[in-house]
């Protein structure tokens, strides 16, 4: 292993690669940033699994905040365990864990060698794309809890949430793929056996020719009766909805083609158009499959249950027991650990609560609660352990109710893609032509009527439109996903193109939720003073204190006496014979008149104010430019923030005077705001991150959830956008607008083919060879055109 | 050219065989994860009870590869 | 208890590796000999066994089935075990497979040199060996599918799919193509005649290339390239897609070997279209290979193994692009029958197969011997020598091919051919010489490798059974899907094996079909009659000496060819040709219309000493034909065989065949006597002359009427 250390920079943690600061640990001639990392290394080293570190450099994840002892004790509960396991027989259990930390080949290797750490594990298989591991273990020798702890022990803490309960793996529904495969197979062979037809087979070989024809007929059956059902179904649905969608005319064309071909073969008058039929079905299926690409690693269907823990600790007759969330009863006393989510509304009965509601309400500053105060579900306890008396069951609690309120509005009014309307006109025109042609031939040469009508219907199948649509959608979705915007499905593209109003959430969306911008105003501080400040501040767990510590950039361990913390107001203590205080104005000056300024902390030495820290949210890079750009494009913009109005002015200047800025919005307000905009005839796009935006996101015409890298909380939405790509928003919208243009262009081009084809058909002289060349060539060229154009557009907007 | 029929029968039966294989492979989720298999083959499954020194040069060769 | 310990079988891998090296050297040595003989006819040492006509098939068989063949098995036996996390299904089968295959190679070498050949390119081996091949192949299949069945890794890596495809398809091709009716031990006639035989042959010929030289090596590439570069393949999805695409398209590219021949147009077009479609999947493979190394070019600079692989993949890309281009009719009109084809195949063989094999050997040998490569430097030198060798080989051949084709097609202003055929040959001899130098370089590179590998092997000791461990494939349900699915999955590999065996059976049954197809509706020409017994014997001598390797029997409907050789060939002329002898290369002139062109004595002297008749000719002397007697004993059997295949000899003709034979022979003997040549009637030369004089004469009578039909 010696070699590895030399290949690493001295200060890098051997395990996680983070820079080790002062309190670095050196052991085994390696450096670790924290004891957590060192521990993991020891575990692996013991079982001789150090290849983990050689497969890829510093593969670990930082282990600073160690997992609470007995965090997974609830897995010992039979009921809970049963609800999680996928399969169990007399001696084996199958469990599937979601491990968000999976990121490199080392992870894969280690997680598939778990059996070396614990030989009760029979096998473990990683699904890299889903970041999941399937573990089979013998439950006689170990337990679910042990395995969860083992995983946490090596730095892969399983993420278990309330909705993992009785989670069923989505079954691989690949029927489309089968249809595609079969269509492709038949198409290729039919084409093959149609060649003699096209290249003029020797009349002496007529027997051969008929053989080919019947073979083609046989091969076309699976296409017609299986592969094409895809379209039959949706066509039938649309007819039942009294709405003629694009599939209807396509199905008609397929049937006519098939019927006529069969007639020709049986009557020996020709080879039919089996190749065209199967070809079209094949290409269209390809289009469908491309368009329906799903992002396996993402879920657009999150509800509050994914944020809640599976189980909580209940205090019962002085004993702690872990119970399922669903078992929480009124008047239960719950123990909430540090960094744990509050599952249901309750009254604080022990300890001091410091609750981070940013996720629910969007407020950045955590809220202190004293004993006897009501705490709402959804917040995260930052302080030490607390106990609370349940006053509302999970299902009734504030957050959940709010969620359910949203859900009943969640279904969007069915909007039909313009493609369907387009195809409808197209179809009617074609019918018209067919009718006239028929009439004409009825007069001149009645024998040709049937022939002509069928040819026209075959040629004029709007499959070109279908193809251009599906392929463009598919390709644009692909390009967007390359830029880390993952849309739920193809309809979203169109909706996104049509929006004229964009609503942002502030915290976590425009700003990075966590790191705050901190500005000091007042007398310059000497190094010595800074030291003292940091010593004082480092006594408190309050995020503002933490921020100040990191601002001073010093981590001195100095003596401090008579330290005092007044929750929600400030802290003070004597450092080196000087009384230092940090806190609100009222806390220091003891005059209650001045109104509370949530994002300002005053600094006082010997009760004399020498300056103040102003906290401002850190805006994401380039977000300002993006906003101004959108402004220029006359998008109506708005900001709905759950946070205080501390930055109203700043935002106002940023986004221009015409933007509406609303602060202290609770989730319901946000939802209502969106509705109001919609009622005023706006097509609204909502962009937010937290649970507090969930309602708004579902209500909006397009709801885009922002996700930090590796951040697995994204509320239900139409799309997921990774935070650092937010500045591209404008270009994304542009591309979605381009989508429609591309489709139409391609379609117009395809119409030319149709015209050529029609002219042949109408004149009653459509030779198989012409049809055979026309059909695939048009399809393929359409495909190429759409790909070319959509790629061109996305390059035009400088998208990856 | 009747022999072409013979060739057709032969080829199509083979192609059909592969079609079955294809359907099977999709059905059984062979392609559920299109990332791991490619990585997985890079690992040798050396027995865990191997002597330390061996493990050393084992890993070293890895590293050499990496640093090359 | 959970984790299973098991051992990888490296012994068999080692054996196959050694065999690869041995046969590679032999094959290339023979190739070099053949290359020299092209400009130095005397290099046949005056022996029938070492004459070009017999050496060349030995070369092709040796490099394809012995060198590449063993290379495939080496790669498969090494990678399959590791991909399945299981030892090969059965050590016994492995043994049988290895020794069986080597036995086949040896017998092939011996019989080919002795002149036992079926006269079909790349399928020259006679029926007993064909059967042996089938059996060994089935053994390999059982061993492979057995391993897949007992695997400990549920996912079948893409390489395994390539192996499966190879096995199944090659089995089918081999059986369909080598369907022949035995006349005696070591002599048989192809079931199919003329055009049909040609179609089957090249359908096989092309797919031999596709599924013996390409798909298995792609599979191997997909395993060894990532391993050697220690980085996953660029796009696994692409590899999957391009596999399925390749499999469904490849089979039909065959007919592009027969453009402008008597094969029906539509069949030719099928070949063209599918060949063109092939570009996509082939390049999918190549790009995937090259992109795998993206960002690792520094490694490539260091590591000879990766160098070999990069060049191999590039060559693969080049020849898979060139192939389709060559199958475009207008290109083919120039390239076909020239050395262009030779260049094309050697870019593939030397570059793709050869270099990939070397790369793998350098990577694999040290591993299974638990040591490191003796000298990286030597390997790098090998790489450079080999690369120069390839260039020196390919470039002159492209040049020669193009040059010659152009010369063939040139007319003087007053409409006569500008060059005699011989001139076009002598003109490119310098290029032939350069080519052989390229070959020599390539071979010397291999010698370097042998030294390097011997040293490496010495420095280590074989890890015959490499210990490994992996958890068993859990037998109860996978986490997804329902109970029975899983059982179904687990049974699958057996079913695949069963399928394949059934397929082999189907193949066998299908083989009966031709008997019904005999009454084929080839446009028959009444003037075309069966060969006389003597001509038949002569034809077998023609086949035995491998004349078809230098002389085509297919006048294509081009102005120059008609002017040079005469009336273009019609499908109807070949209905009694078992097997067809169209050939694929014109080192010498076409012989389709040789009959009656020269007096018997000319042929006699020409066979004795070609240069005496056509000064500067590069054709070797066939002096022994003047002394060796005709094997008249076989005549009746041959006649009977022909009758079973529908050749209309009168009933019981086999009885008096030899009498007729002697009668015709005497006539020729007298002819020769008139030209002052003393010989007895029972000499091979007589039979050969009879055949040569017969060739293409049937149609001459009716040629006037068909003239109108010429496109």
């Amino acid at each position: 292993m010696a070699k590895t250390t030399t290949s690493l920079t001295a200060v890098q943690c051997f395990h996680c690669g983070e820079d080790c600061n002062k309190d670095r640990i050196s052991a085994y001639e390696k450096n670790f940033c924290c004891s957590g990392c060192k521990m993991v290394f020891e575990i692996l080293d013991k079982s001789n699994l150090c290849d983990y570190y050689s497969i890829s450099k510093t593969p670990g994840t930082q282990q600073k905040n160690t997992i609470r002892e007995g965090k997974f004790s609830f897995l010992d509960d039979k009921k809970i365990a049963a609800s999680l396991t996928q399969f169990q027989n007399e001696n084996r259990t199958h469990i599937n864990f979601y491990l968000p930390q999976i990121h490199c080949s080392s992870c894969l290797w280690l997680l598939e060698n778990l059996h070396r750490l614990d030989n009760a594990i029979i096998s473990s298989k990683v699904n890299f794309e889903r970041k999941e591991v399937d573990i089979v273990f013998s439950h006689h020798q170990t337990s679910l809890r042990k395995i969860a702890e083992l995983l946490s022990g090596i730095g892969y803490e399983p993420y278990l949430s309330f909705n993992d309960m009785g989670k069923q793996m989505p079954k691989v529904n690949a029927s489309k793929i089968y249809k595609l495969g079969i269509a492709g197979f038949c198409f290729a062979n039919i084409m093959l056996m149609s060649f003699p037809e096209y290249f003029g087979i020797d009349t002496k070989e007529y027997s051969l020719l008929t053989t080919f024809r019947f073979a083609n007929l046989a091969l076309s059956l699976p296409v017609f009766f299986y592969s094409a059902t895809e379209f039959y179904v949706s066509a039938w649905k649309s007819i039942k909805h009294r709405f003629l969608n694009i599939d209807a005319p396509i199905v008609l064309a397929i049937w006519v083609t098939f019927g006529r071909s069969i007639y020709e073969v049986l009557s020996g008058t020709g080879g039919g158009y089996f190749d065209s039929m199967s070809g079209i079905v094949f290409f269209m299926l390809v289009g469908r499959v491309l368009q329906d690409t799903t992002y396996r690693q993402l879920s657009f269907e999150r509800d509050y249950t994914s944020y809640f823990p599976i189980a909580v600790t209940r205090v019962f007759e002085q004993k702690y027991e872990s119970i399922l969330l669903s078992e929480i009863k009124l008047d239960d006393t719950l123990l909430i650990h540090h960094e744990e989510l509050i599952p249901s509304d309750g009254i604080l009965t022990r300890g001091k609560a410091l609750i981070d509601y940013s996720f629910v309400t969007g407020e950045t500053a955590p809220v202190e609660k004293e004993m006897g105060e009501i705490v709402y579900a959804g917040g995260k306890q930052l302080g030490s352990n607390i106990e609370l008396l349940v006053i509302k069951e999970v299902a009734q609690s504030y957050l959940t109710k709010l969620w359910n309120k949203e859900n009943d509005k969640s279904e969007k009014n069915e909007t039909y893609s313009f493609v369907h309307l387009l195809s409808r006109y197209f179809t009617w025109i074609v019918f018209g032509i067919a009718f006239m042609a028929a009439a004409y031939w009825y007069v001149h040469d009645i024998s040709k009527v049937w022939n002509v009508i069928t040819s026209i219907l075959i040629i004029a199948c709007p499959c070109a439109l279908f193809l251009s649509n599906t392929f463009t959608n598919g390709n644009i979705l692909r390009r967007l996903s390359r830029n880390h915007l993952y849309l739920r499905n193809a309809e979203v593209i169109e909706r996104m193109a049509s929006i004229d109003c964009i609503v942002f959430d502030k915290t976590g969306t425009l700003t990075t939720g966590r790191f705050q911008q901190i500005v000091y105003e007042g007398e310059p501080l000497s190094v010595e003073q800074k030291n003292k400040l940091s010593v004082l501040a480092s006594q408190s767990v309050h995020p503002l204190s933490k921020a100040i510590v990191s601002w001073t950039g010093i981590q001195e361990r100095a003596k401090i006496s008579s330290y005092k913390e007044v929750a929600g107001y400030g802290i003070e203590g004597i450092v080196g014979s000087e009384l230092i205080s940090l806190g609100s104005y009222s806390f220091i000056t003891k005059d209650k008149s001045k109104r509370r300024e949530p994002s300002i902390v005053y600094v006082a030495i010997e009760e004399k104010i020498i300056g103040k820290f102003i906290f401002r949210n850190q805006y994401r890079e380039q977000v300002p430019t993006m906003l101004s750009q959108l402004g220029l494009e006359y998008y109506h913009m708005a900001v709905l923030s759950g946070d205080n109005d501390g930055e109203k002015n700043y935002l106002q200047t940023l986004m221009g005077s015409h933007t509406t800025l609303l602060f202290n919005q609770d989730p319901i307000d946000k939802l209502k705001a969106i509705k109001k905009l919609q009622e005023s005839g706006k097509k609204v796009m909502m962009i937010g991150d937290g649970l507090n935006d969930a309602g708004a996101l579902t209500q909006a015409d397009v709801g885009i959830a922002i996700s930090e890298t590796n951040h697995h909380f994204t509320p239900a939405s139409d799309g997921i956008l990774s935070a650092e790509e937010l500045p591209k928003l404008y270009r994304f919208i542009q591309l979605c607008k381009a989508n429609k243009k591309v489709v139409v262009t391609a379609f117009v081009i395809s119409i030319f083919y149709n015209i050529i084809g029609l002219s042949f058909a109408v004149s009653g002289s459509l030779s198989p060879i012409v049809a055979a060349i026309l059909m695939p060539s048009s399809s393929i060229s359409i495909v190429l055109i759409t790909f070319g154009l959509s790629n061109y557009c996305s390059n035009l907007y400088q998208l990856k | 050219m009747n022999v072409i029929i013979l060739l057709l029968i032969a080829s199509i039966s083979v192609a059909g065989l592969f079609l079955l294989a294809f359907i099977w492979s999709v059905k059984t989720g062979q392609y559920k994860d299109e990332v791991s298999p490619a990585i997985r083959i890079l690992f040798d499954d050396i027995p865990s009870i191997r002597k330390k020194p061996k493990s050393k040069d084992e890993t070293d060769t890895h590293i050499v590869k990496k640093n090359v | 208890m959970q984790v299973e310990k098991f051992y990888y079988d490296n012994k068999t891998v080692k054996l196959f590796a050694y065999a690869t090296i041995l046969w590679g050297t032999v094959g290339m040595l023979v190739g070099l000999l053949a290359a020299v003989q092209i400009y130095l006819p005397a290099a046949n040492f005056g022996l029938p066994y070492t004459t070009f006509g017999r050496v060349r098939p030995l070369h092709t068989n040796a490099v394809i089935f012995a060198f590449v063949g063993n290379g495939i098995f080496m790669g498969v036996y090494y990678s399959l075990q590791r991909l399945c996390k299981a030892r090969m299904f059965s050590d016994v089968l492995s043994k049988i497979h290895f020794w069986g295959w080597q036995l086949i190679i040896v017998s092939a070498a011996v019989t080919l040199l002795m002149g036992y050949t079926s006269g079909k390119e790349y399928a020259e081996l006679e029926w007993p060996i064909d059967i042996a091949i089938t059996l060994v192949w089935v053994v390999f299949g059982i061993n492979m599918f057995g391993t897949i069945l007992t695997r400990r890794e549920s996912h079948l890596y893409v390489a395994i799919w390539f192996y499966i495809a190879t096995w199944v398809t090659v089995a089918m091709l081999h059986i369909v193509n080598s369907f022949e009716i035995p006349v005696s031990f070591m002599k048989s006639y192809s079931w199919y005649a003329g055009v049909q035989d040609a179609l089957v042959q090249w359908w096989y010929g092309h797919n031999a290339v596709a599924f013996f030289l390409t798909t298995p090596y792609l599979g191997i590439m997909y395993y060894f390239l990532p391993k050697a570069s220690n980085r996953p393949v660029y796009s696994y999805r692409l590899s999957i897609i391009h596999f399925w695409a390749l499999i469904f398209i490849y089979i039909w590219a065959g007919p592009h070997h027969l453009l402008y021949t008597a094969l029906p147009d539509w069949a030719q077009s099928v070949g063209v279209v599918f060949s063109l479609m092939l570009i996509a999947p082939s390049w999918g493979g190549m790009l995937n290979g090259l992109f795998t190394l993206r960002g690792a070019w520094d490694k490539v600079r260091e590591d000879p193994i990766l160098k070999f692989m990069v060049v191999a993949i590039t060559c693969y890309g080049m020849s898979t692009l060139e192939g389709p281009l060559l199958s475009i009719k207008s290109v083919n009109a120039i390239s076909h029958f020239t050395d262009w084809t030779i260049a094309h195949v050697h870019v593939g063989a030397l570059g793709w197969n050869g270099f990939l094999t070397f790369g793998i050997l350098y990577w694999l040998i040290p591993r299974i011997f638990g040591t490191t490569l003796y000298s990286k430097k030597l390997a790098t030198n090998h790489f450079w020598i080999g690369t120069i060798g390839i260039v020196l080989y390919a470039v002159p051949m492209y040049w020669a091919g193009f040059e010659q084709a152009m010369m063939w097609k040139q007319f003087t202003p007053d409409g006569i051919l500008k060059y005699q055929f011989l001139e076009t040959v002598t003109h490119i001899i310098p290029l032939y010489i350069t080519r052989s130098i390229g070959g020599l370089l390539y071979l010397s590179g291999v010698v370097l490798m042998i030294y390097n590998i011997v040293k490496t092997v010495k420095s280590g000791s074989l890890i015959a059974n490499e210990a490994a461990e992996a958890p068993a494939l859990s037998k109860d349900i996978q986490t997804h899907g329902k109970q029975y699915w899983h059982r179904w999955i687990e049974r699958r590999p057996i079913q695949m094996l069963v399928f394949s065996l059934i397929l082999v059976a189907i193949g066998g049954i299908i083989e009966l079909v031709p008997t019904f197809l005999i009454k084929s509706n080839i446009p028959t020409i009444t003037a075309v009659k069966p060969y006389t017994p003597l001509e038949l014997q002569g034809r077998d001598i023609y086949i035995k000496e491998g004349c078809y390797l230098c002389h085509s029997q297919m006048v294509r409907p081009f102005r120059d060819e008609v002017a040079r050789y005469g009336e273009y060939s019609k499908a109807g002329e070949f209905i009694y040709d078992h097997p067809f002898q169209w050939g694929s290369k014109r080192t010498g002139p076409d012989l389709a219309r040789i009959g009656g062109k020269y007096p018997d004595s000319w042929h006699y002297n020409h066979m004795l000493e070609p240069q005496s008749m056509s000064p500067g000719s590069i054709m070797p002397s066939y002096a022994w034909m003047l002394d060796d007697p005709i094997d008249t004993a076989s005549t009746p059997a041959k006649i009977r065989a022909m009758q079973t295949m529908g050749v209309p000899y009168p009933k019981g003709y086999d009885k008096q065949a030899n009498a007729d034979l002697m009668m015709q022979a005497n006539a020729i003997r007298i002819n020769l006597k008139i030209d002052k040549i003393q010989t007895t009637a029972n000499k091979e030369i007589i039979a050969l002359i009879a055949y040569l004089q017969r060739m293409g004469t049937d149609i001459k009578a009716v040629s006037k009427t068909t003239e109108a039909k010429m496109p």
Side-chain angles (χ1 to χ4, degrees), chain C residues 295-456:
Chain C
W297 294 108
D298 48 333
K299 271 191 199 178
V300 176
R301 226 171 290 114
E302 297 283 332
D303 184 355
I305 295 171
L306 291 182
K307 279 200 182 73
F308 273 112
M309 290 181 172
V310 168
V311 171
I313 296 165
T314 321
C315 288
Y316 170 68
M318 278 160 60
S319 40
T320 46
L321 175 65
E322 190 189 8
L325 294 184
L326 286 178
S327 63
I328 296 166
K329 276 194 154 192
S330 42
V331 183
N332 193 274
I334 303 164
S335 73
H336 198 52
F337 288 135
T338 72
D339 287 295
W340 194 328
T341 322
I342 315 297
H344 169 61
V345 297
H346 279 86
V347 168
L350 300 174
W352 167 238
N353 298 106
F355 267 31
L356 195 57
T357 315
F358 301 149
I360 292 168
L361 281 167
Y362 280 125
W363 183 85
L364 181 148
I365 294 288
R367 299 221 152 208
I368 60 176
F369 281 90
T371 175
T372 53
L373 188 59
Y374 165 68
S375 159
K376 243 183 176 188
K377 200 159 171 307
L378 274 181
T380 319
N381 296 340
H382 173 196
F383 168 77
W384 288 116
I385 296 173
T387 316
I388 299 167
I390 296 177
V391 175
L392 272 190
Y393 190 111
V395 174
M397 284 296 96
Y398 281 118
W399 189 353
F402 194 72
E403 195 88 0
Q404 196 175 25
M406 287 303 129
M407 292 175 82
W408 285 346
K409 291 190 181 301
Q410 276 184 42
F411 285 85
T412 58
D414 40 3
I416 357 163
L417 288 163
K418 189 152 178 218
Y419 301 99
Q420 287 303 310
F421 188 90
L422 194 51
E423 300 174 66
T424 68
V425 177
T426 45
H427 180 79
I428 57 174
I429 282 179
L431 298 168
Y432 280 138
I433 297 172
T434 338
R435 178 261 296 262
S436 57
I437 295 169
L440 180 64
L441 278 176
Y442 193 86
L443 183 56
S444 38
V446 173
V447 175
L448 273 188
M449 174 182 81
I450 294 172
Y451 173 73
N452 201 348
I453 282 180
V454 169
K455 282 295 197 181
T456 313

Side-chain angles (χ1 to χ4, degrees), chain B residues 3 6 24 30 34 44-45, chain C residues 85 156 196 227 237 510:
Chain B
V3 72
L6 164 70
W24 166 77
Q30 283 281 329
E34 289 165 339
D44 315 327
D45 11 54
Chain C
K85 295 192 192 298
L156 293 177
Q196 308 218 10
K227 283 299 243 182
R237 176 181 286 148
I510 288 174

